Amino acid sequence: MQNAECKMQNAIIRPMTPGDADGKAYVHWKSCLETYSGLMDPEFLAASTLDKYHAIALRFVETTLVAELDGIIVGFGCWDPKGEIPALYVLRDAQGYGIGRRLLETMLERLADCKQVRLEVLEGNDRAIGFYEHMGFRMDGTSNMTKYSAVHPVLGMIRAV
C-alpha cells in the first residue's frame, strides 16, 4: 500500500499543454490496445497506429488534463463544457493508484456548473464500468454502436454533479 500511496501522491494532475501531445498520443494508443483487445474489432485495433493518435493529440487541449508521474504522462482526461467526458485513459501500469480518480474528480470540478455529467463506456469494459459506478455514475439506459467497434456497443452513464 505504501507504494500505491507514493505513486498517487507523486502523480501531478495538470492542464495539458501543446508540448504534451506526444505523451497524450502514446497513452491514448497504448491504453486502447491494452483495454479494448477482445472488445473491439481486431482489424481496427491492428490498424491503430501511434501516428493516428498523434493526429488527434492536439484536439481539445484547453479542456484536457494530463496525469504525470515522474515526468512521464501516464494518463489523460478531457471534458466538454456542456457536461460530457469523452475520454479518460490511464496506462495499465499506472492503474490502481488513484490517478484515474484524481483525473475524474478534477474534471468533475471543471463541470460543477452542469446539472449532470455523461460519459460512454464500451460494453464489456467491466473494470471501467465498476470504476465509474464507484465514482457515482449509473447507467442511463442508452446503448449505441460506436463506429470503432462492430463487436460491442457503448453504454451511456450519467452522474448528477
Side-chain angles (χ1 to χ4, degrees), residues 103-114:
L103 279 167
L104 183 57
E105 287 173 346
T106 306
M107 288 188 290
L108 290 171
E109 289 171 10
R110 304 283 201 284
L111 294 168
D113 290 337
C114 298

Side-chain angles (χ1 to χ4, degrees), residues 100-159:
R101 179 183 55 79
R102 288 182 54 209
L103 279 167
L104 183 57
E105 287 173 346
T106 306
M107 288 188 290
L108 290 171
E109 289 171 10
R110 304 283 201 284
L111 294 168
D113 290 337
C114 298
K115 291 182 182 178
Q116 60 187 19
V117 174
R118 187 173 187 284
L119 55 83
E120 292 182 332
V121 61
L122 202 62
E123 182 179 57
N125 189 353
D126 296 334
R127 184 172 183 164
I129 291 169
F131 167 73
Y132 291 127
E133 288 175 339
H134 179 75
M135 296 298 295
F137 285 82
R138 61 177 169 70
M139 293 294 173
D140 68 6
T142 62
S143 175
N144 301 304
M145 292 305 288
T146 175
K147 64 183 176 179
Y148 307 114
S149 175
V151 180
H152 290 286
V154 292
L155 307 173
M157 297 185 80
I158 201 159
R159 173 190 156 147

Side-chain angles (χ1 to χ4, degrees), residues 33-48:
L33 294 178
E34 291 173 340
T35 303
Y36 299 141
S37 180
L39 297 178
M40 295 180 88
D41 182 348
E43 290 180 22
F44 172 80
L45 287 176
S48 295

Side-chain angles (χ1 to χ4, degrees), residues 44-56:
F44 172 80
L45 287 176
S48 295
T49 64
L50 186 54
D51 287 340
K52 286 184 179 183
Y53 288 95
H54 272 284
I56 62 172

